[in-house]
């Protein structure tokens, strides 16, 4: 892969705690910023911010709601379902839940969700 002047590269080390195996990845990022427009610390913060969103929202949507297995693929319904999933996650977090798997408990009784929303 040819590296352009405005491409960013970083190296990430990861150790599997089960096997003890160390893996090293070289990651490339593309930015529209000219070279030298941002510090390494700023760029690293933006990269971490991206993965924070990925881990806090998209990963939760896939594991708790099996979003990747959804067969809804046409029209505006996929976006609508993603919005409803985001709403559910936000309600649980606002209600103080850090483990979104707790939504399974709420799904057994719809009145619990109304209570979390302050409706009943």
């Amino acid at each position: 892969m040819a590296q352009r002047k405005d491409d960013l590269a970083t190296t990430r080390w990861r150790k599997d705690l089960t096997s003890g195996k160390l893996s090293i990845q070289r990651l490339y990022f593309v930015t529209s910023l000219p070279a030298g427009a941002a510090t390494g610390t700023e760029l690293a913060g933006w990269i971490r911010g991206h993965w924070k969103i990925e881990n806090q929202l998209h990963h939760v949507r896939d594991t708790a709601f099996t979003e990747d297995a959804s067969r809804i693929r046409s029209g505006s319904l996929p976006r609508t379902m993603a919005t409803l999933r985001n709403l559910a996650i936000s309600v649980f977090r606002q209600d103080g839940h850090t483990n979104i798997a707790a939504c399974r408990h709420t799904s057994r009784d719809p009145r619990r969700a109304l209570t979390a929303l302050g409706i009943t």
Side-chain angles (χ1 to χ4, degrees):
M1 177 180 189
Q3 186 173 0
R4 294 184 347 205
K5 199 173 181 181
D6 56 346
D7 288 354
L8 304 171
T10 187
T11 304
R12 176 170 53 192
W13 292 270
R14 181 179 170 270
K15 183 176 182 178
D16 185 318
L17 298 177
T18 305
S19 67
K21 182 181 175 184
L22 180 67
S23 63
I24 301 172
Q25 293 179 316
R26 183 129 176 114
L27 305 167
Y28 295 92
F29 302 92
V30 178
T31 179
S32 59
L33 295 172
T39 66
T41 303
E42 288 173 321
L43 294 169
W46 294 333
I47 293 166
R48 279 192 305 275
H50 166 79
W51 287 109
K52 181 178 180 182
I53 293 168
E54 176 68 27
N55 292 332
Q56 285 186 336
L57 184 60
H58 301 297
H59 178 72
V60 171
R61 282 191 346 211
D62 188 38
T63 55
F65 297 100
T66 59
E67 185 175 60
D68 286 350
S70 175
R71 302 185 83 202
I72 300 169
R73 290 183 173 77
S74 62
S76 61
L77 200 51
R79 183 175 290 181
T80 302
M81 291 304 298
T83 301
L84 291 172
R85 290 178 186 114
N86 289 345
L87 175 63
I89 292 167
S90 297
V91 167
F92 281 104
R93 289 206 170 122
Q94 181 180 348
D95 202 34
H97 296 283
T98 55
N99 182 358
I100 302 303
C103 69
R104 292 185 190 112
H105 175 71
T106 301
S107 68
R108 295 185 191 112
D109 183 358
R111 291 174 294 187
R112 291 183 186 132
L114 297 174
T115 302
L117 290 168
I119 296 173
T120 59

